[in-house]
Amino acid sequence: MRKLLLSITLLSGLFAATAVAERASFGAGLGVLYNGVGINLARMDGADFKYVALGCTTLGYSASYGTTSNCGIGVGWMRSDILSDSGRHGLGIHLGITYNSHENRDQVEVFAGLPYVYFFSGMDTTGLNLGLTPYLGRHNDENRAGFLLNLGYQF
């Protein structure tokens, strides 16, 4: 767990240093842009939206197992000029990794998704976003597929 947290810290620091050169954005919400429920730091350059996200897919507590979580880091890239020239429709790819501590599992889980996100004010401005992401991943030693809702705000 310590190695995962150290890796997350280092990756976030490196991304933050490169984001200063371009327009940086901070966001909070749920979905793949936030790796579950969490935050992201994004770098915008024209129609590109590159981000690092820190979030949790689940948090819990039980008398039997104590505090449990499934939290981690995700990285992604979106383009706003694939579907239209309005800058409001983002299409991209997301890769996420989480550390699942539910019921003493202590295992790393990975997933990948293809997010579509609608940015109400445009991808390069502050505002609300809403989207849907089909994903494939590994959870509890099983392959899983499904859809994730994205709802967030970029500052």
Side-chain angles (χ1 to χ4, degrees):
M1 182 66 169
R2 288 182 183 166
K3 289 182 182 179
L4 179 63
L5 289 174
L6 180 60
S7 297
I8 289 170
T9 304
L10 289 174
L11 285 173
S12 298
L14 288 173
F15 190 80
T18 60
V20 173
E22 302 295 330
R23 184 175 180 280
S25 174
F26 170 78
L30 64 94
V32 295
L33 286 180
Y34 313 99
N35 213 57
V37 175
I39 60 172
N40 73 20
L41 179 62
R43 185 177 84 166
M44 292 178 271
D45 182 19
D48 277 330
F49 184 85
K50 299 170 189 160
Y51 63 92
V52 171
L54 299 171
C56 295
T57 56
T58 58
L59 288 172
Y61 177 82
S62 73
S64 302
Y65 299 106
T67 302
T68 59
S69 65
N70 194 357
C71 300
I73 187 169
V75 295
W77 170 68
M78 297 185 78
R79 295 278 306 177
S80 66
D81 60 356
I82 295 173
L83 299 175
S84 77
D85 292 331
S86 71
R88 294 175 187 243
H89 301 275
L91 190 61
I93 187 164
H94 177 88
L95 301 172
I97 184 168
T98 60
Y99 182 75
N100 188 351
S101 68
H102 285 282
E103 299 173 9
N104 295 323
R105 283 194 174 88
D106 293 327
Q107 56 192 180
V108 173
E109 299 175 340
V110 296
F111 67 97
L114 299 172
Y116 163 77
V117 179
Y118 182 79
F119 295 87
F120 288 89
S121 301
M123 189 165 73
D124 60 347
T125 59
T126 298
L128 187 66
N129 61 69
L130 178 67
L132 190 65
T133 303
Y135 76 93
L136 293 171
R138 191 100 174 125
H139 181 68
N140 296 339
D141 294 325
E142 296 177 5
N143 292 329
R144 293 231 175 135
F147 291 91
L148 297 171
L149 177 67
N150 194 85
L151 176 63
Y153 195 88
Q154 287 299 127
F155 300 93

